[in-house]
Amino acid sequence: MELHRRNIQRRLREAQTPKDGLQFTDPTEVGERLLDVVDLPTTTIDRIDRLSMIRSVLSNDEVSITSPAVPSDPQSVEQIRTEIENVTGFHPNRLEIFQDVVDGLTAPIDADVAEILSAATGIERALRRRTSKSISDVEFVRRAARKILATDGVVWQEAFPEVDCVSLVGVSGVPAAHIDLLHAILTSVTVPVHIHFRRGTGSYLSRRVPQLFDVAEPGTVVFKS
């Protein structure tokens, strides 16, 4: 975020545009602030604890991983969990779409990708059973999106009463949870939202983002929350 902050400040200086009204933050910090307003916990397990829990989950066969497509070491399993989380947010609709795509692949790729999807979802579910904390700070963002919708934007107004525009900048990839947060804001709050893509990936993402918005109940997950 620091790099984006410096770049934006430099561009504003070059354009002789004041920057006094700007607040720089990231979606996780926004999520934490929203959850603080409604007194929801914002504690999470860190990566080291997560890897330790994954190692224990695998050792106790809580998640069956038999396919060679799914690595058995905790770091690789965590990478898979993170990637599926980025793409789907563990939202039920997106997981169904992912599975539909998998079903259309040719063998044996279809079976391998299905195993990867199952492993990522199973690991997330097992981790949730093991701790009352959030598995990662991505959950703050999803939970905040749900709270914005549940309160019809009231929680946003209490947390950010002076914000009159939201911009997501420096985007080279858009995690589903970030889209769900923006979706909730657009649905419930009367502030404009702008997404500024990077030059290299912007043309692709501009086509992809509308599909990410096309889900009901943004921030929802398939697990009990």
Side-chain angles (χ1 to χ4, degrees), residues 142-193:
R142 288 194 295 256
R143 191 173 297 167
R146 296 197 297 269
K147 282 300 173 184
I148 292 171
L149 292 171
T151 62
D152 197 24
V154 171
V155 66
W156 176 271
Q157 297 295 348
E158 292 181 4
F160 303 104
E162 298 179 356
V163 171
D164 55 17
C165 180
V166 176
S167 296
L168 183 64
V169 303
V171 178
S172 57
V174 188
H178 295 180
I179 287 294
D180 283 354
L181 178 63
L182 297 181
H183 191 169
I185 294 170
L186 286 168
T187 300
S188 306
V189 185
T190 57
V191 297
V193 173

Side-chain angles (χ1 to χ4, degrees), residues 46-57:
D46 60 24
R47 178 177 170 81
I48 299 301
D49 289 339
R50 198 156 55 243
L51 292 176
S52 178
M53 286 186 182
I54 290 174
R55 184 176 295 106
S56 178
V57 166

Side-chain angles (χ1 to χ4, degrees), residues 42 46 54 62 80 107 114 122 143 223:
T42 55
D46 60 24
I54 290 174
E62 294 178 44
I80 287 173
R143 191 173 297 167
F223 317 102

Side-chain angles (χ1 to χ4, degrees), residues 6 11 18 44-45 51 64 74 82 94 96 106-107 111 113-114 120 143 149 151 154 157 162 173 184 201 211 219 223:
R6 291 196 299 270
R11 293 290 183 88
T44 181
I45 57 174
L51 292 176
S64 177
T82 300
R94 293 196 187 100
E96 288 179 5
T106 58
V113 180
R143 191 173 297 167
L149 292 171
T151 62
V154 171
Q157 297 295 348
E162 298 179 356
T201 54
Q211 298 172 341
F223 317 102

Side-chain angles (χ1 to χ4, degrees), residues 8 13 32 40 48 56 59 72 75 127 130 148 154 157 165 167 189 199:
I8 292 171
R13 284 195 303 270
E32 287 181 296
L40 287 176
I48 299 301
S56 178
S59 298
S72 58
Q75 291 193 41
L127 292 175
R130 283 175 168 260
I148 292 171
V154 171
Q157 297 295 348
C165 180
S167 296
V189 185
R199 187 171 300 172

